[in-house]
Amino acid sequence: MSKRLKIGLFGFGVVGQGLYDIIKTKNLNIEIVKIAIKDPTKKRSLPADLFTTDREEILNNPDINTVVELINDTEAAFEIVSRALSTGRNVVSASKKMVATYLEELIALQQHHGTSLLYEASVCGSIPIIRNLEEYYDNELLHSISGIFNGSSNFVLSKGYNDNLDYDAALKEAQDLGFAETDPTSDVGGYDAKYKLVIAAAHAYGIVVKPEDVLNIGIQTLSANDLKYAREKRLKIKLVPVAKELDEQNVAMFVLPKFVNENEFLYNVDYEYNCVTVQAAFADQQFFYGKGAGGHPTGSAVLSDIAALRYDYQYEYKKAKLRTDLKFTNDIELNVYLRYEDEALVDVLNFIHIHERFYSDSYKFVLGKIGLQDLIANQQRISDNKAFVAFADQLTGVSLASALKHNLEVI
Ligand code: HSE
């Protein structure tokens, strides 16, 4: 017999409402006791006495044994989740920035208080990847995880490539559809994808990395010339997070735009859809595909975690406990495409090898191999120059799939 869950819900936005719609259709031995909201003036679809603006009404209610946190404020979310875990409540959260930023503290809190925090919905919405990385790939040697982890930026890229819609109009549409973050820089700048990558890597490899240590370069500076070039080469541009085990001691991670060809799974993942590709030693390449944003898809992942709590499921973080030899590194080289205006930028980036250069009055690019550390050191300069950088193995003759599969030094 499953445990009866009495839930205190924080947040009733797109995901909170999506969750409520789904719960209504089920008979799961769960009850939403109270919903904490920020804005009491907003018109709600449920009786007023279900709502409160006082978080203490949930956190101090001894009747509530489960907290579901679906708010937009990272610091407030951490405070709520920490207090709930410390007072014997199990928690479900969809806050990727909060989980990625405070993962170490959250793991310690769970271990100290014997409580459980589940966050499947925080990574790629409806795609069940965290529990799979944690449980299913428990004994597998994972060479890499990669994919499309941000629906809004993928929406903007697909609208530009498939429908010729300009960047601002496409981003506005993603916002209107409820996919984009309050600050869309998080989406188009690759931050959101990075938080999800950090969380996924903790369950894939057992390494807990601070988001600020991982490079993210986004699509804000993408130009019509970049898209035209990609089309001529029969490639698409996607924003791709990568975590790759280089050897038995080192895992590299970064988020970069990437040229993808039609043989890659990512090529046909368009609009708000997300995907995760897992390259494993024995299972070989696997592909998870689904909606990464939106109320009902994300709500379905939240509900799956809630349902798991009825049986006291918790992440064991087994890999973190067992694989203490594995470390995060930025000490890698990769092939990139750099579209730029200022020649000085090419000089400071210290290309190790230049594969191709192109100059015209309106369009200049260089294709070559570069140290990830040099990209990190010059990230601000790249952004100030409005230069566009993309991971470009498909343009230099080494496919990402084969690079990842054969564990080459160059990713
Ligand atoms: N802003 C996110 C996205 C929402 O566009 O993917 C889901 O995390």
Side-chain angles (χ1 to χ4, degrees), residues 94 96 121-125 149-154 174 178-182 186-187 192 196 272 274 292-294 298:
K96 52 263 159 136
S122 69
V123 180
C124 299
F149 289 12
N150 182 266
S152 305
S153 54
N154 202 43
F179 305 145
E181 300 300 307
T182 319
S186 186
D187 296 303
D192 180 80
K196 294 166 180 169
E272 77 270 31
N274 279 197
T298 312

mmCIF file of all heavy atoms in Angstrom, residues 94 96 121-125 149-154 174 178-182 186-187 192 196 272 274 292-294 298, ligand 1:
data_model
loop_
_atom_site.group_PDB
_atom_site.id
_atom_site.type_symbol
_atom_site.label_atom_id
_atom_site.label_comp_id
_atom_site.label_asym_id
_atom_site.label_seq_id
_atom_site.Cartn_x
_atom_site.Cartn_y
_atom_site.Cartn_z
ATOM 1 N N ALA A 94 11.451 21.462 -9.493
ATOM 2 C CA ALA A 94 11.736 21.581 -10.931
ATOM 3 C C ALA A 94 12.724 22.713 -11.186
ATOM 4 O O ALA A 94 12.938 23.113 -12.324
ATOM 5 C CB ALA A 94 10.437 21.839 -11.697
ATOM 6 N N LYS A 96 15.931 24.035 -11.878
ATOM 7 C CA LYS A 96 17.262 23.546 -12.323
ATOM 8 C C LYS A 96 18.410 24.407 -11.825
ATOM 9 O O LYS A 96 19.442 23.899 -11.397
ATOM 10 C CB LYS A 96 17.328 23.399 -13.843
ATOM 11 C CG LYS A 96 16.893 24.624 -14.645
ATOM 12 C CD LYS A 96 15.466 24.515 -15.084
ATOM 13 C CE LYS A 96 14.878 25.858 -15.421
ATOM 14 N NZ LYS A 96 14.105 25.850 -16.621
ATOM 15 N N ALA A 121 11.976 16.676 -13.194
ATOM 16 C CA ALA A 121 11.410 17.715 -14.064
ATOM 17 C C ALA A 121 12.389 18.847 -14.342
ATOM 18 O O ALA A 121 12.183 19.647 -15.251
ATOM 19 C CB ALA A 121 10.153 18.295 -13.421
ATOM 20 N N SER A 122 13.483 18.922 -13.564
ATOM 21 C CA SER A 122 14.410 20.034 -13.755
ATOM 22 C C SER A 122 15.285 19.839 -14.990
ATOM 23 O O SER A 122 15.883 20.792 -15.476
ATOM 24 C CB SER A 122 15.281 20.229 -12.504
ATOM 25 O OG SER A 122 16.171 19.158 -12.356
ATOM 26 N N VAL A 123 15.384 18.625 -15.495
ATOM 27 C CA VAL A 123 16.256 18.360 -16.646
ATOM 28 C C VAL A 123 15.435 17.832 -17.820
ATOM 29 O O VAL A 123 14.901 16.727 -17.778
ATOM 30 C CB VAL A 123 17.372 17.348 -16.282
ATOM 31 C CG1 VAL A 123 18.280 17.083 -17.478
ATOM 32 C CG2 VAL A 123 18.184 17.849 -15.094
ATOM 33 N N CYS A 124 15.306 18.645 -18.840
ATOM 34 C CA CYS A 124 14.612 18.245 -20.077
ATOM 35 C C CYS A 124 13.145 17.846 -19.860
ATOM 36 O O CYS A 124 12.659 16.884 -20.480
ATOM 37 C CB CYS A 124 15.356 17.118 -20.781
ATOM 38 S SG CYS A 124 17.010 17.594 -21.261
ATOM 39 N N GLY A 125 12.463 18.575 -19.009
ATOM 40 C CA GLY A 125 11.004 18.439 -18.844
ATOM 41 C C GLY A 125 10.525 17.008 -18.760
ATOM 42 O O GLY A 125 10.781 16.316 -17.766
ATOM 43 N N PHE A 149 19.025 20.530 -24.507
ATOM 44 C CA PHE A 149 18.457 20.594 -23.156
ATOM 45 C C PHE A 149 17.646 21.865 -22.950
ATOM 46 O O PHE A 149 17.188 22.108 -21.837
ATOM 47 C CB PHE A 149 19.576 20.573 -22.103
ATOM 48 C CG PHE A 149 20.301 19.249 -21.926
ATOM 49 C CD1 PHE A 149 20.149 18.211 -22.826
ATOM 50 C CD2 PHE A 149 21.143 19.055 -20.836
ATOM 51 C CE1 PHE A 149 20.828 16.998 -22.658
ATOM 52 C CE2 PHE A 149 21.814 17.857 -20.656
ATOM 53 C CZ PHE A 149 21.660 16.826 -21.566
ATOM 54 N N ASN A 150 17.524 22.695 -23.973
ATOM 55 C CA ASN A 150 16.770 23.942 -23.792
ATOM 56 C C ASN A 150 15.788 24.148 -24.931
ATOM 57 O O ASN A 150 16.197 24.304 -26.091
ATOM 58 C CB ASN A 150 17.729 25.137 -23.672
ATOM 59 C CG ASN A 150 16.974 26.432 -23.438
ATOM 60 O OD1 ASN A 150 16.661 27.159 -24.362
ATOM 61 N ND2 ASN A 150 16.632 26.707 -22.184
ATOM 62 N N GLY A 151 14.492 24.148 -24.587
ATOM 63 C CA GLY A 151 13.455 24.238 -25.605
ATOM 64 C C GLY A 151 13.384 25.603 -26.271
ATOM 65 O O GLY A 151 13.179 25.701 -27.480
ATOM 66 N N SER A 152 13.563 26.681 -25.489
ATOM 67 C CA SER A 152 13.406 28.029 -26.054
ATOM 68 C C SER A 152 14.454 28.321 -27.116
ATOM 69 O O SER A 152 14.138 28.826 -28.193
ATOM 70 C CB SER A 152 13.516 29.086 -24.960
ATOM 71 O OG SER A 152 12.603 28.812 -23.957
ATOM 72 N N SER A 153 15.719 28.033 -26.803
ATOM 73 C CA SER A 153 16.770 28.324 -27.784
ATOM 74 C C SER A 153 16.598 27.426 -29.007
ATOM 75 O O SER A 153 16.824 27.861 -30.145
ATOM 76 C CB SER A 153 18.167 28.160 -27.175
ATOM 77 O OG SER A 153 18.293 26.886 -26.612
ATOM 78 N N ASN A 154 16.159 26.186 -28.779
ATOM 79 C CA ASN A 154 15.935 25.303 -29.928
ATOM 80 C C ASN A 154 14.770 25.796 -30.774
ATOM 81 O O ASN A 154 14.786 25.694 -32.002
ATOM 82 C CB ASN A 154 15.678 23.872 -29.437
ATOM 83 C CG ASN A 154 15.972 22.852 -30.507
ATOM 84 O OD1 ASN A 154 16.979 22.953 -31.214
ATOM 85 N ND2 ASN A 154 15.086 21.882 -30.677
ATOM 86 N N ALA A 174 8.422 32.109 -28.214
ATOM 87 C CA ALA A 174 8.768 31.128 -27.166
ATOM 88 C C ALA A 174 8.310 31.635 -25.801
ATOM 89 O O ALA A 174 7.831 30.867 -24.964
ATOM 90 C CB ALA A 174 10.270 30.867 -27.162
ATOM 91 N N GLY A 178 5.188 30.236 -23.156
ATOM 92 C CA GLY A 178 5.489 29.826 -21.775
ATOM 93 C C GLY A 178 6.732 28.964 -21.643
ATOM 94 O O GLY A 178 6.961 28.355 -20.600
ATOM 95 N N PHE A 179 7.569 28.878 -22.686
ATOM 96 C CA PHE A 179 8.767 28.033 -22.604
ATOM 97 C C PHE A 179 9.946 28.791 -21.983
ATOM 98 O O PHE A 179 10.765 28.217 -21.281
ATOM 99 C CB PHE A 179 9.247 27.573 -23.994
ATOM 100 C CG PHE A 179 8.205 26.878 -24.821
ATOM 101 C CD1 PHE A 179 8.169 27.041 -26.196
ATOM 102 C CD2 PHE A 179 7.279 26.043 -24.226
ATOM 103 C CE1 PHE A 179 7.223 26.394 -26.965
ATOM 104 C CE2 PHE A 179 6.319 25.391 -24.981
ATOM 105 C CZ PHE A 179 6.290 25.579 -26.361
ATOM 106 N N ALA A 180 10.054 30.087 -22.313
ATOM 107 C CA ALA A 180 11.262 30.833 -21.956
ATOM 108 C C ALA A 180 11.283 31.204 -20.473
ATOM 109 O O ALA A 180 10.239 31.344 -19.837
ATOM 110 C CB ALA A 180 11.353 32.091 -22.816
ATOM 111 N N GLU A 181 12.492 31.345 -19.938
ATOM 112 C CA GLU A 181 12.663 31.804 -18.564
ATOM 113 C C GLU A 181 12.281 33.282 -18.469
ATOM 114 O O GLU A 181 12.254 33.984 -19.485
ATOM 115 C CB GLU A 181 14.131 31.659 -18.144
ATOM 116 C CG GLU A 181 14.660 30.241 -18.201
ATOM 117 C CD GLU A 181 13.890 29.294 -17.295
ATOM 118 O OE1 GLU A 181 13.748 29.583 -16.102
ATOM 119 O OE2 GLU A 181 13.416 28.273 -17.801
ATOM 120 N N THR A 182 12.076 33.783 -17.228
ATOM 121 C CA THR A 182 11.750 35.196 -17.035
ATOM 122 C C THR A 182 12.835 36.053 -17.687
ATOM 123 O O THR A 182 12.547 37.033 -18.368
ATOM 124 C CB THR A 182 11.690 35.510 -15.517
ATOM 125 O OG1 THR A 182 11.033 34.420 -14.878
ATOM 126 C CG2 THR A 182 10.976 36.803 -15.241
ATOM 127 N N SER A 186 19.058 33.389 -19.947
ATOM 128 C CA SER A 186 19.341 32.066 -19.404
ATOM 129 C C SER A 186 19.140 30.988 -20.484
ATOM 130 O O SER A 186 19.910 30.025 -20.560
ATOM 131 C CB SER A 186 18.426 31.809 -18.200
ATOM 132 O OG SER A 186 18.788 30.616 -17.592
ATOM 133 N N ASP A 187 18.131 31.157 -21.311
ATOM 134 C CA ASP A 187 17.855 30.188 -22.382
ATOM 135 C C ASP A 187 18.843 30.338 -23.536
ATOM 136 O O ASP A 187 19.551 29.399 -23.885
ATOM 137 C CB ASP A 187 16.442 30.400 -22.939
ATOM 138 C CG ASP A 187 15.359 30.129 -21.913
ATOM 139 O OD1 ASP A 187 15.340 29.013 -21.381
ATOM 140 O OD2 ASP A 187 14.534 31.031 -21.664
ATOM 141 N N ASP A 192 20.727 27.904 -18.880
ATOM 142 C CA ASP A 192 19.714 26.918 -18.503
ATOM 143 C C ASP A 192 20.174 25.505 -18.886
ATOM 144 O O ASP A 192 20.088 24.568 -18.089
ATOM 145 C CB ASP A 192 18.401 27.294 -19.218
ATOM 146 C CG ASP A 192 17.270 26.349 -18.917
ATOM 147 O OD1 ASP A 192 16.649 26.482 -17.853
ATOM 148 O OD2 ASP A 192 17.020 25.453 -19.741
ATOM 149 N N LYS A 196 21.194 22.150 -16.359
ATOM 150 C CA LYS A 196 20.680 20.789 -16.575
ATOM 151 C C LYS A 196 21.832 19.809 -16.793
ATOM 152 O O LYS A 196 21.793 18.665 -16.329
ATOM 153 C CB LYS A 196 19.715 20.794 -17.771
ATOM 154 C CG LYS A 196 18.458 21.621 -17.482
ATOM 155 C CD LYS A 196 17.664 21.927 -18.742
ATOM 156 C CE LYS A 196 16.430 22.750 -18.428
ATOM 157 N NZ LYS A 196 15.767 23.290 -19.622
ATOM 158 N N GLU A 272 10.361 23.260 -29.609
ATOM 159 C CA GLU A 272 10.589 23.173 -28.151
ATOM 160 C C GLU A 272 11.015 21.776 -27.712
ATOM 161 O O GLU A 272 11.190 21.524 -26.516
ATOM 162 C CB GLU A 272 9.343 23.624 -27.383
ATOM 163 C CG GLU A 272 8.206 22.608 -27.315
ATOM 164 C CD GLU A 272 7.229 22.740 -28.474
ATOM 165 O OE1 GLU A 272 7.652 23.137 -29.587
ATOM 166 O OE2 GLU A 272 6.033 22.446 -28.258
ATOM 167 N N ASN A 274 13.222 18.560 -26.820
ATOM 168 C CA ASN A 274 14.548 18.308 -26.244
ATOM 169 C C ASN A 274 14.955 16.884 -26.591
ATOM 170 O O ASN A 274 14.123 16.048 -26.983
ATOM 171 C CB ASN A 274 14.500 18.386 -24.716
ATOM 172 C CG ASN A 274 14.537 19.795 -24.163
ATOM 173 O OD1 ASN A 274 14.806 19.990 -22.998
ATOM 174 N ND2 ASN A 274 14.258 20.800 -24.978
ATOM 175 N N GLY A 292 10.582 19.394 -23.693
ATOM 176 C CA GLY A 292 11.423 19.842 -22.593
ATOM 177 C C GLY A 292 10.833 20.998 -21.818
ATOM 178 O O GLY A 292 11.440 21.460 -20.844
ATOM 179 N N ALA A 293 9.708 21.500 -22.239
ATOM 180 C CA ALA A 293 9.109 22.644 -21.558
ATOM 181 C C ALA A 293 7.587 22.546 -21.706
ATOM 182 O O ALA A 293 7.079 21.708 -22.452
ATOM 183 C CB ALA A 293 9.625 23.951 -22.170
ATOM 184 N N GLY A 294 6.896 23.443 -20.967
ATOM 185 C CA GLY A 294 5.431 23.447 -21.054
ATOM 186 C C GLY A 294 4.818 22.790 -19.822
ATOM 187 O O GLY A 294 5.438 21.942 -19.174
ATOM 188 N N THR A 298 6.115 19.041 -18.389
ATOM 189 C CA THR A 298 6.950 19.161 -17.185
ATOM 190 C C THR A 298 6.171 18.665 -15.970
ATOM 191 O O THR A 298 6.733 17.994 -15.087
ATOM 192 C CB THR A 298 7.409 20.621 -16.993
ATOM 193 O OG1 THR A 298 7.909 21.095 -18.253
ATOM 194 C CG2 THR A 298 8.501 20.740 -15.957
HETATM 195 N N1 HSE B 1 13.209 27.711 -20.314
HETATM 196 C C1 HSE B 1 13.316 26.295 -20.341
HETATM 197 C C2 HSE B 1 13.425 25.846 -21.774
HETATM 198 C C3 HSE B 1 12.109 25.695 -19.695
HETATM 199 O O1 HSE B 1 13.196 26.665 -22.671
HETATM 200 O O2 HSE B 1 13.784 24.700 -22.034
HETATM 201 C C4 HSE B 1 12.303 24.266 -19.287
HETATM 202 O O3 HSE B 1 13.343 24.104 -18.378
#
